[in-house]
């Protein structure tokens, strides 16, 4: 599925963009399903704001219990000072997570296909296990910033094998909050580790290496249908979306079963609900 040049680029830069990976029909199917999930979501049943600012203090029970189910999270700026939604619920949701790929038939169909399995093999995942899925809305005007981070922080393995598969469901541009990355940054150390023991969580600092800045970061603009793959140690972020258009995306995080998955990672599976691959 991947050429030698593409595999070499991934090894060199830590990321790879594959345009036209998903069809418009496939994208329309998951977008319709996401809309249905949001329409059925009743905030009074429990809700949470998603933010990447100080995740140790902002993580709550609602978030922790979303590890192996499907839950909706609001944007940070969705509510006014009185706690009321500033706009329609459908324009206030930050994301849906975190087991769409296993629990929803539409998302499972999108997440598991031989073509994606072939890409994973080409990137070095010989026996992949998909741990997490997220539908990200990046709402117009209030789409929140996702601070610089590495996905290995949340999916530590020995050796590090976590790989992110990020699908553009709409055109991702600088204006509406596309991803920014540091080419080659995956060769640096893991800076943080998100550790969970039961309901106790903490963010451990592992390195003093600073996060990238404008001198080294590059934007990854991607047309709808593109697949962006990146290494778990690649630093990346996305700016707030202040534009009038959304930036829908869908992500999967997978590790290789040959690596040792940390028992301290926040998402765990057991024999009753095992992590599976792309087929």
């Amino acid at each position: 599925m991947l050429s030698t040049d593409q595999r070499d680029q991934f090894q060199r830069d830590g990321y790879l963009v594959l345009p036209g990976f998903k069809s418009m029909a496939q994208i329309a199917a998951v977008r319709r399903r996401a809309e249905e999930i949001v329409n059925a979501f009743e905030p009074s049943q429990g809700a949470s704001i998603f933010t990447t600012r100080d995740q140790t203090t902002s993580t709550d029970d609602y978030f922790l219990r979303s590890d192996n189910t499907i839950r909706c999270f609001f944007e940070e700026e969705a509510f006014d000072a009185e706690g009321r939604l500033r706009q329609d619920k459908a324009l206030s949701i930050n994301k849906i997570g975190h087991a769409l790929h296993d629990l929803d038939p539409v998302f499972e169909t999108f997440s598991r296909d031989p073509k994606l399995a072939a890409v994973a093999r080409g990137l070095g995942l010989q026996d992949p296990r998909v741990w997490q899925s997220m539908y990200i809305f990046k709402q117009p005007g209030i789409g929140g910033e996702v601070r610089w981070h590495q996905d290995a922080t949340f999916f530590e393995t020995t050796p590090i094998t976590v790989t992110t598969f990020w699908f553009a469901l709409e055109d991702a541009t600088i204006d509406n909050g596309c991803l920014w990355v540091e080419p080659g940054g995956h060769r640096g150390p893991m800076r943080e580790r998100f550790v969970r023991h039961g309901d106790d969580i903490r963010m451990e600092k592992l390195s003093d290496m600073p996060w990238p800045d404008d001198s080294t970061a590059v934007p990854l603009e991607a047309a709808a249908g593109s697949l962006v793959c990146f290494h778990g140690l690649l630093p990346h972020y996305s700016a707030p979306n202040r534009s009038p258009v959304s930036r829908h995306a869908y992500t999967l995080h997978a590790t290789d079963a040959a690596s040792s998955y940390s028992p301290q990672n926040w998402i765990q599976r057991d024999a009753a609900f095992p992590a599976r691959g792309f087929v």
Side-chain angles (χ1 to χ4, degrees):
M1 185 67 196
L2 296 181
S3 67
T4 299
D5 287 346
Q6 288 172 322
R7 290 194 296 270
D8 289 345
Q9 181 195 337
F10 185 82
Q11 293 298 320
R12 180 185 69 247
D13 297 333
Y15 67 91
L16 181 66
V17 181
L18 301 174
F21 192 84
K22 290 289 189 179
S23 70
M24 293 303 103
Q26 290 172 309
I27 290 173
V30 293
R31 292 193 62 179
R32 282 193 303 268
R33 182 60 187 135
E35 181 180 5
E36 292 170 357
I37 292 172
V38 170
N39 287 340
F41 168 57
E42 178 49 61
S44 64
Q45 298 171 353
S48 179
I49 292 172
F50 179 76
T51 176
T52 60
R53 304 173 195 271
D54 192 3
Q55 287 185 284
T56 300
T57 58
S58 62
T59 298
D60 56 17
D61 183 73
Y62 183 85
F63 178 87
L64 289 176
R65 300 291 177 266
S66 72
D67 50 358
N68 292 315
T69 188
I70 298 173
R71 289 187 172 180
C72 296
F73 297 84
F74 284 107
E75 291 280 5
E76 247 187 302
E77 299 178 20
F79 298 92
D80 62 20
E82 284 73 44
R84 297 172 301 212
L85 285 176
R86 298 178 186 273
Q87 53 194 12
D88 186 74
K89 178 179 65 174
L91 293 173
S92 303
I93 299 296
N94 170 284
K95 70 173 182 177
I96 308 170
H98 291 91
L100 289 158
H101 62 292
D102 278 328
L103 299 178
D104 186 273
V106 175
F107 280 96
E108 181 169 24
T109 297
F110 189 92
S111 305
R112 292 191 161 94
D113 70 71
K115 188 168 73 166
L116 185 54
V119 170
R121 286 194 300 273
L123 297 178
L125 297 177
Q126 296 306 310
D127 189 7
R129 295 291 184 269
V130 184
W131 295 95
Q132 174 178 271
S133 51
M134 296 185 294
Y135 189 105
I136 304 167
F137 292 84
K138 204 75 168 181
Q139 299 285 6
I142 64 168
E145 175 188 23
V146 177
R147 71 176 183 90
W148 281 104
H149 67 286
Q150 298 161 300
D151 289 344
T153 291
F154 305 94
F155 299 95
E156 184 183 19
T157 60
T158 306
I160 296 295
T161 60
V162 64
T163 305
T164 301
F165 300 83
W166 190 98
F167 301 89
L169 305 180
E170 295 181 296
D171 291 347
T173 68
I174 292 175
D175 289 341
N176 69 2
C178 69
L179 293 173
W180 289 72
V181 302
E182 180 189 30
H186 64 300
R187 292 190 290 273
M190 189 161 84
R191 291 164 171 84
E192 298 173 315
R193 176 167 51 212
F194 189 71
V195 174
R196 178 179 184 179
H197 294 286
D199 289 346
D200 296 325
I201 56 100
R202 68 181 185 274
M203 186 70 81
E204 296 181 346
K205 186 174 182 179
L206 303 177
S207 171
D208 290 325
M209 177 175 282
W211 293 105
D213 56 29
D214 292 345
S215 67
T216 57
V218 300
L220 292 189
E221 294 190 298
S226 299
L227 168 60
V228 182
C229 306
F230 50 94
H231 191 283
L233 288 175
L234 183 74
H236 59 285
Y237 102 106
S238 64
N241 181 11
R242 302 306 183 197
S243 81
V245 297
S246 57
R247 191 226 66 188
H248 289 204
Y250 178 64
T251 68
L252 297 166
H253 295 96
T255 64
D256 196 312
S259 62
S260 177
Y261 187 80
S262 173
Q264 299 184 112
N265 288 334
W266 85 279
I267 292 180
Q268 300 291 327
R269 294 288 186 90
D270 57 25
F273 190 30
R276 299 183 289 132
F278 288 110
V279 290

